[in-house]
Amino acid sequence: MAPELSSVQTVEGLARCIRNLLSHCGNLSLRELESWGIAHNRPMPRTSLSEARSGARPPSRQLLLNLLAACEVHDDREVSAWLDALDRVHKSKSIQTRQRLLRDLTQPVSAYRFFAELDDVSEISHLIQQTQDEVWLWGTTLAMHIPYIDTYLGQALARDVRVKVLLISPGGAAMSMLAFRAGPTWGRQRLEERLAINLGLLERRIGQGDGLEVRLIDYLPPYTLYAYDPGLDDGSMEFRLGSFGGRHELRPTFRMIRRRDGEWFDYFYEQFTSVWNAADPYRHGQAPDAPTG
């Protein structure tokens, strides 16, 4: 495809080449490509692939590399031809973007318009009820949330919604750091107890079918993440930043929407996927006993 790629100057031209590539590879579906990407630690959100294929938005460099790997394009010269075409498209688009920003932005956005303080658990349950495809939950122990949304997770699983839950490993370095960050109000034993209780709740849901996956990792996440249909066009994510010894319910919270925050949305999608693939799968019957003392 080198001759065709060498003439690409626009996002529409690049999209045409991507469609031809997918055609040569048997027209893999977007879900198949997304699943391949997660399994091979090469994240490819369905919506981003759809936009790249249709010409609505050019892919990021990493998304294009991941797509080429999925389509078994490994020759250095072929890969370079694709990346050169993408660079030309991005240069043209960046000029247009800068011009638009100069027109639209007269001053920086206030943090008061970006961050919220409170974590609305009822809204989380409402969004889970609206989810059609997949829910992601990533935190340390999700101490305040799993008990409240447990019923809603069960309802989502009954609708064949896939649920991924990523928590820290019990008894590890991440738990020690979490106890240090949380301060004496919580304490390590109480945190271990909360994690054990929540894993026990999730344990019951694992028996509900194959829709729920739980993984554990000895890594303290920089934020808590809730994602609703992250692979779809109307997907959204909510983030709560970690704080040192602060009140649990008052932490800077912000939301990203796939349609509005495309490239940054993809960044956090890839972050979750990378940590998810590095984590250990939690198996049915492995819930630890809550510590006593």
Side-chain angles (χ1 to χ4, degrees), residues 3-222:
E4 185 178 1
L5 286 167
S6 65
S7 63
V8 167
Q9 299 290 335
T10 65
V11 64
E12 292 81 7
L14 182 62
R16 188 164 48 250
C17 292
I18 289 174
R19 290 194 294 271
N20 290 339
L21 174 65
L22 292 174
S23 177
H24 293 155
C25 294
N27 284 318
L28 293 169
S29 71
L30 298 181
R31 181 181 285 277
E32 288 173 325
L33 288 168
E34 182 181 46
S35 297
W36 184 95
I38 291 175
H40 292 81
N41 202 21
R42 289 182 171 273
M44 291 186 287
R46 261 174 286 166
T47 298
S48 300
L49 288 170
S50 177
E51 290 177 339
R53 186 180 62 179
S54 67
R57 187 166 66 96
S60 66
R61 180 184 178 89
Q62 190 59 57
L63 179 65
L64 179 58
L65 288 172
N66 294 346
L67 177 60
L68 293 176
C71 294
E72 299 186 353
V73 177
H74 303 300
D75 182 82
D76 289 342
R77 289 175 297 180
E78 290 185 67
V79 172
S80 294
W82 279 97
L83 294 179
D84 288 344
L86 180 64
D87 285 343
R88 292 193 297 274
V89 170
H90 274 303
K91 286 178 181 177
S92 173
K93 191 169 180 62
S94 66
I95 293 173
Q96 299 172 9
T97 300
R98 284 197 299 271
Q99 291 173 341
R100 177 177 57 80
L101 289 175
L102 287 174
R103 291 195 304 268
D104 295 346
L105 298 181
T106 58
Q107 59 184 359
V109 176
S110 166
Y112 287 100
R113 294 181 59 189
F114 184 72
F115 288 118
E117 288 183 346
L118 296 179
D119 181 27
D120 189 345
V121 183
S122 62
E123 184 180 12
I124 293 172
S125 63
H126 177 68
L127 290 168
I128 291 175
Q129 289 175 289
Q130 290 186 321
T131 301
Q132 300 298 313
D133 181 63
E134 195 163 27
V135 174
W136 292 352
L137 306 175
W138 180 18
T140 53
T141 66
L142 294 179
M144 308 298 290
H145 297 87
I146 293 295
Y148 184 88
I149 64 175
D150 174 61
T151 299
Y152 303 103
L153 291 179
Q155 294 171 354
L157 292 168
R159 301 196 315 272
D160 293 325
V161 172
R162 294 174 295 171
V163 178
K164 289 184 170 71
V165 181
L166 182 57
L167 303 173
I168 64 173
S169 303
M175 182 61 76
S176 298
M177 185 58 65
L178 174 62
F180 177 71
R181 189 177 75 179
T185 302
W186 280 85
R188 176 164 181 153
Q189 178 174 318
R190 186 181 175 194
L191 292 167
E192 293 274 13
E193 290 172 353
R194 289 285 186 167
L195 179 58
I197 290 169
N198 284 347
L199 287 174
L201 290 173
L202 293 169
E203 176 92 27
R204 294 188 296 106
R205 295 298 177 192
I206 290 176
Q208 194 171 328
D210 299 328
L212 172 62
E213 292 183 80
V214 179
R215 294 193 180 185
L216 304 175
I217 189 168
D218 196 11
Y219 167 69
L220 187 68

